[in-house]
Amino acid sequence: MLAGTNARASAAVMFADMRGFTGISELLAPAQVVELLNEFFGLLTDITFEYDGTVFNMAGDSLMVGFGVPVEQSDGPQRAIAAARQMLSKFGALAERWKVRHNIETGLGIGINVGEVIAGNVGSAAYMNYTIIGDTVNVASRLGQRARAGEMLFSDAVKRSLDATGFDVAAFALPPLVLRGRSTPIDIFCVPTEQRIDFRGH
């Protein structure tokens, strides 16, 4: 069932952000940077489609993905977690190849949130883009920005949804995250991987 244009929908939203990209851009020629970005987005979008997710935005070194929109999925959070695990694993291997090929350090950080979004066409008469907006998206974006390389961070809303279906991801709680414009912090959880790296810059 399609959620329709300019419709409210329940969705799991994921942001996948490459870490260390600024340094890579300074070290490599523009053509090499484009080649790496194409490899990066190619890998992540293939995994997204494998779990029936929808790619809503590619910008710079960040990918925004939705599960459960525009097509309803009762197991959107589980799909998002499974896709994120595979992204972290496969990008970890790709980053190792880049290290050998170009002598660069990079990694992937992922943020996931679940809740209501507004899906619809946004833009002008000359250019329209079908996308998702709302507080759920904003929180997912902040989690994606905060995640270190090799980490998956998700909100308590995701944790509750997973717990309700008995889906255990072996996550541990982090200190609550204070978001701009909010008076109360949100509880967040982390699933680390062996490839975790702490980058000082983005």
Side-chain angles (χ1 to χ4, degrees):
M1 178 180 173
L2 291 177
T5 306
N6 298 321
R8 294 182 180 274
S10 177
V13 183
M14 171 201 293
F15 279 81
D17 297 285
M18 193 192 306
R19 296 288 174 254
F21 180 70
T22 303
I24 292 171
S25 301
E26 293 169 354
L27 286 171
L28 301 181
Q32 291 176 307
V33 174
V34 170
E35 179 186 338
L36 295 189
L37 281 175
N38 286 338
E39 283 190 74
F40 172 72
F41 285 124
L43 175 69
L44 267 56
T45 55
D46 283 350
I47 294 171
T48 297
F49 298 148
E50 185 180 334
Y51 289 92
D52 297 321
T54 300
V55 173
F56 283 99
N57 191 37
M58 294 180 192
D61 58 353
S62 179
L63 180 74
M64 180 174 77
V65 173
F67 295 86
V69 62
V71 179
E72 293 178 10
Q73 294 166 328
S74 60
D75 58 349
Q78 293 94 319
R79 289 174 185 268
I81 294 291
R85 276 181 160 159
Q86 192 169 154
M87 287 177 182
L88 289 170
S89 174
K90 290 196 172 181
F91 185 75
L94 179 59
E96 285 298 317
R97 296 197 293 275
W98 287 359
K99 187 174 182 178
V100 172
R101 195 190 319 165
H102 299 292
N103 193 31
I104 56 175
E105 289 273 1
T106 185
L108 182 67
I110 294 179
I112 303 172
N113 189 27
V114 65
E116 188 177 78
V117 301
I118 299 171
N121 293 309
V122 176
S124 67
Y127 177 79
M128 287 293 236
N129 183 36
Y130 183 71
T131 191
I132 50 176
I133 59 174
D135 185 61
T136 298
V137 178
N138 297 340
V139 171
S141 175
R142 286 292 306 279
L143 292 174
Q145 292 165 7
R146 171 150 179 178
R148 291 185 293 177
E151 274 186 351
M152 177 201 316
L153 298 185
F154 54 83
S155 65
D156 57 333
V158 174
K159 181 73 162 55
R160 289 196 304 271
S161 178
L162 297 175
D163 288 347
T165 59
F167 193 91
D168 183 18
V169 292
F172 61 87
L174 290 180
L177 177 64
V178 178
L179 299 174
R180 286 189 298 272
R182 284 191 173 200
S183 57
T184 56
I186 64 166
D187 292 327
I188 60 174
F189 298 84
C190 174
V191 178
T193 68
E194 304 78 40
Q195 294 94 357
R196 185 162 64 173
I197 310 168
D198 192 8
F199 281 93
R200 295 302 172 193
H202 194 282

